[in-house]
Amino acid sequence: MKFLNPLRPAVLIKRYKRFLADVQLPNGDVITIHCPNTGAMTGCARPGMKVWISDSGNPKRKYRYTWELAETTEGDMICVNTQRANQIAGELLQQGMLEPFTELTAEQKYGYDNRRIDWQGIDANGNLTFIEVKSVTLAVQQQGYFPDTVSERARQHLASLQTMASEGHRAMVLYVVLHSAIRQVSAAEHIDAKYAEACIMAKQAGVEFNAIQCQISAEEIKPSAMICVK
């Protein structure tokens, strides 16, 4: 996934009200930008961090700029825009990096509760496959965790996937790892024990768990390699 326009560097002053952040541009100007991430953003939003922002090009938009990337003091790159995860997942699925799928479609309604699945396709054996995409940015050294805050919604997604698996379809969670330090992913039992328990139940029901590592730069984000989900 290439950024359509060059990202602008800035320095983070603070994130607040979940969807807003103040940053300082290289010329000294301080502006308020949109933060497209509803999570805790632990380790991703420290004041003083170098960040990169995208320009919508629309001066009439209330917050013209969007926060895309952050860089840790160790030099690790993080994509904080959770909307990018689905775009990256679409690229790797269409390229067959996970496995070959045909008839790939995004945002399809499914299941008893009429939810929307991130991606739906047909695998090489003709199985209808439901793929729920999650972005992972919480890192403790090289260990990645999901979620970074208690998430009832994530547990509901697992329940819906479990239902699809019980009906004979393939169902999977695809963690898109958007922190360059992460080498493996686990359920964050220390943050959301119910989600971790739901993962165990989903695996027992046949739900598959995969994770893709990404190369992150101010020019593009590229899916690079599958990594372990424990």
Side-chain angles (χ1 to χ4, degrees), residues 92-118:
L92 76 92
L93 291 170
Q94 289 158 2
Q95 293 167 6
M97 283 187 65
L98 183 59
E99 62 180 83
F101 287 101
T102 58
E103 300 181 34
L104 281 166
T105 52
E107 298 294 328
Q108 295 295 304
K109 290 184 177 181
Y110 78 112
Y112 68 95
D113 48 4
N114 212 27
R115 293 185 181 277
R116 287 188 182 274
I117 192 69
D118 289 317

Side-chain angles (χ1 to χ4, degrees), residues 29-96:
D29 289 348
V30 174
I31 61 173
T32 299
I33 62 173
H34 173 57
C35 177
N37 190 318
T38 61
M41 293 182 65
T42 304
C44 306
R46 297 189 183 102
M49 292 182 80
K50 186 175 182 180
V51 299
W52 282 263
I53 61 178
S54 60
D55 184 354
S56 69
N58 181 3
K60 295 183 179 180
R61 204 176 87 166
K62 186 173 182 181
Y63 301 107
R64 174 172 171 169
Y65 296 95
T66 298
W67 186 2
E68 298 285 351
L69 308 177
E71 182 177 349
T72 70
T73 54
E74 295 77 23
D76 294 309
M77 298 293 289
I78 310 164
C79 176
V80 301
N81 185 344
T82 57
Q83 297 171 9
R84 300 299 184 188
N86 217 24
Q87 295 174 261
I88 296 162
E91 286 188 7
L92 76 92
L93 291 170
Q94 289 158 2
Q95 293 167 6

Side-chain angles (χ1 to χ4, degrees), residues 31-229:
I31 61 173
T32 299
I33 62 173
H34 173 57
C35 177
N37 190 318
T38 61
M41 293 182 65
T42 304
C44 306
R46 297 189 183 102
M49 292 182 80
K50 186 175 182 180
V51 299
W52 282 263
I53 61 178
S54 60
D55 184 354
S56 69
N58 181 3
K60 295 183 179 180
R61 204 176 87 166
K62 186 173 182 181
Y63 301 107
R64 174 172 171 169
Y65 296 95
T66 298
W67 186 2
E68 298 285 351
L69 308 177
E71 182 177 349
T72 70
T73 54
E74 295 77 23
D76 294 309
M77 298 293 289
I78 310 164
C79 176
V80 301
N81 185 344
T82 57
Q83 297 171 9
R84 300 299 184 188
N86 217 24
Q87 295 174 261
I88 296 162
E91 286 188 7
L92 76 92
L93 291 170
Q94 289 158 2
Q95 293 167 6
M97 283 187 65
L98 183 59
E99 62 180 83
F101 287 101
T102 58
E103 300 181 34
L104 281 166
T105 52
E107 298 294 328
Q108 295 295 304
K109 290 184 177 181
Y110 78 112
Y112 68 95
D113 48 4
N114 212 27
R115 293 185 181 277
R116 287 188 182 274
I117 192 69
D118 289 317
W119 289 94
Q120 177 182 300
I122 306 295
D123 71 9
N125 295 317
N127 296 305
L128 182 60
T129 306
F130 299 90
I131 304 168
E132 182 68 33
V133 177
K134 301 295 182 188
S135 64
V136 182
T137 59
L138 177 57
V140 178
Q141 298 180 343
Q142 296 184 337
Q143 175 66 54
Y145 292 100
F146 182 87
D148 68 356
T149 188
V150 174
S151 178
E152 174 64 26
R153 185 167 179 264
R155 296 198 297 272
Q156 291 171 348
H157 287 156
L158 286 178
S160 295
L161 289 174
Q162 190 171 329
T163 299
M164 294 298 98
S166 70
E167 293 179 359
H169 306 300
R170 285 188 72 189
M172 67 175 67
V173 176
L174 176 59
Y175 295 116
V176 177
V177 177
L178 296 179
H179 191 305
S180 63
I182 293 172
R183 297 293 181 267
Q184 68 178 23
V185 177
S186 299
E189 184 177 9
H190 60 296
I191 294 173
D192 191 340
K194 290 183 179 179
Y195 177 80
E197 183 179 352
C199 284
I200 294 172
M201 294 176 62
K203 287 177 185 177
Q204 292 172 344
V207 177
E208 304 167 42
F209 289 78
N210 293 285
I212 182 75
Q213 192 178 47
C214 296
Q215 296 176 353
I216 304 170
S217 72
E219 289 74 39
E220 64 179 340
I221 302 175
K222 291 176 58 176
S224 57
M226 305 304 297
I227 61 175
C228 178
V229 179

